[in-house]
Amino acid sequence: MKTWFVTGASKGLGLTMVKKLLTTGYNVAATTRNLKELRRAVGEASGFLPLAVDLVDENSVGKAIDETIKKFGSIDVIANNAGYGLAGSLEELSDAEARANFDVNVFGSLNVIRKAMPYLRKQGSGHIFNIASVGGFTGAFPGFGIYCATKFAMHGFSESLAAEVKQFGINVTIVSPGYFRTNFLEKDSLQVPKHEISDYKSVRESQALHQNNINGKQQGDPEKAIDVIIKVAEAGKPLTHLFLGSDAYNFAAQKIDAVTKDMEEVRTLATSTDF
């Protein structure tokens, strides 16, 4: 029986993933900052190991990985799902607010990878799913620059990781969801600037649109999203990019078209730089 290690498991896609995996018969080690909330949400289940983990603390992460190996004997699939949204223009967000978002969304995932890799290398197998966002492929979302930057970072290190660990029989997949109907846009998941600047009307409009109009009306079904991830894991084939949702496909296509257009616009000039 394979074992999944899932971060950010107490709500959103993470909670949906944990419940579905347990129902399917997998062992699941699930991390959270609030153990009571996670246990209440999941209930009693065979093969379930809830873990209180501070993802920005390497020692806390390492202990959780060790506990998982001790209980289940291996880790077969990792889902780096933990993260939170941050709205606000680049000028509005303080250094502390920006760094905190990177600490969780980027460095928390890197801590998990760093601590899990020795086990995965030794067993010569494994699959790492880094749950990014379509906002990590296209940053054309006013007021979400720092959040997009964290997800762009995840795309970048995941592509490098995929090339690094291929020799060990380990697959790496970047998951880029569009809008899914979770609590991601709720107040406890989407943070806003402590000091807003009134001049940024487009940012306020985008922020209000996400909080008041998009929230609760997202077209993506979380259950179906997790079904896709599980099927990709079970297929066992290398797949570096996994865009989820018709909207994600549209956003990605628009970005690819825009990049292609810009490249062609100056191809002759821009390729005249070789010796």
Side-chain angles (χ1 to χ4, degrees):
M1 185 181 297
K2 290 189 174 182
T3 299
W4 285 59
F5 185 92
V6 182
T7 67
S10 61
K11 56 187 176 182
L13 284 177
L15 179 58
T16 301
M17 178 179 289
V18 169
K19 288 182 175 179
K20 191 166 285 280
L21 288 169
L22 289 169
T23 301
T24 309
Y26 288 102
N27 293 323
V28 180
T31 80
T32 181
R33 290 174 298 173
N34 190 328
L35 209 55
K36 184 177 181 180
E37 180 183 355
L38 176 60
R39 284 183 170 138
R40 182 173 62 248
V42 176
E44 297 296 325
S46 175
F48 177 48
L49 176 62
L51 297 163
V53 178
D54 179 2
L55 289 177
V56 301
D57 181 342
E58 264 194 312
N59 292 328
S60 179
V61 173
K63 183 180 178 182
I65 295 290
D66 291 343
E67 286 185 37
T68 303
I69 296 294
K70 182 178 179 180
K71 181 173 179 62
F72 298 124
S74 68
I75 294 178
D76 302 288
V77 184
I78 291 172
N80 277 314
N81 168 75
Y84 67 92
L86 179 63
S89 70
L90 296 184
E91 182 184 354
E92 289 173 316
L93 292 169
S94 67
D95 180 72
E97 289 171 316
R99 287 178 184 273
N101 204 209
F102 269 87
D103 278 343
V104 175
N105 293 9
V106 178
F107 294 108
S109 295
L110 290 174
N111 284 340
V112 173
I113 292 166
R114 192 180 302 112
K115 293 299 182 180
M117 274 306 304
Y119 293 105
L120 300 184
R121 278 193 292 109
K122 184 178 180 180
Q123 69 190 23
S125 65
H127 200 144
I128 299 172
F129 286 89
N130 290 327
I131 314 298
S133 167
V134 71
F137 188 76
T138 173
F141 298 97
F144 287 88
I146 293 299
Y147 172 75
C148 286
T150 67
K151 297 304 183 178
F152 265 78
M154 183 173 274
H155 271 249
F157 75 65
S158 296
E159 289 184 1
S160 292
L161 180 65
E164 293 168 357
V165 303
K166 181 180 180 181
Q167 63 177 309
F168 307 119
I170 300 167
N171 294 330
V172 178
T173 300
I174 309 159
V175 183
S176 298
Y179 290 105
F180 280 83
R181 203 168 299 179
T182 68
N183 62 343
F184 179 75
L185 296 177
E186 298 289 344
K187 290 182 179 180
D188 61 343
S189 294
L190 179 65
Q191 296 190 15
V192 297
K194 292 181 180 178
H195 303 289
E196 295 182 351
I197 299 174
S198 59
D199 287 348
Y200 282 101
K201 294 181 180 179
S202 65
V203 171
R204 295 286 81 74
E205 290 171 356
S206 176
Q207 183 178 317
L209 176 68
H210 282 80
Q211 292 176 315
N212 303 323
N213 297 86
I214 297 176
N215 186 33
K217 300 175 184 176
Q218 300 95 322
Q219 66 188 53
D221 182 343
E223 297 278 345
K224 293 179 179 179
I226 300 306
D227 285 340
V228 172
I229 294 173
I230 293 174
K231 287 179 181 178
V232 169
E234 290 176 341
K237 297 179 180 179
L239 181 68
T240 306
H241 294 279
L242 174 59
F243 289 92
L244 286 179
S246 59
D247 56 346
Y249 265 71
N250 289 334
F251 284 130
Q254 290 169 13
K255 168 65 177 285
I256 293 168
D257 288 345
V259 171
T260 301
K261 182 176 181 293
D262 285 350
M263 290 176 68
E264 292 304 319
E265 183 76 19
V266 292
R267 176 182 286 275
T268 301
L269 176 65
T271 58
S272 66
T273 54
D274 299 343
F275 281 106

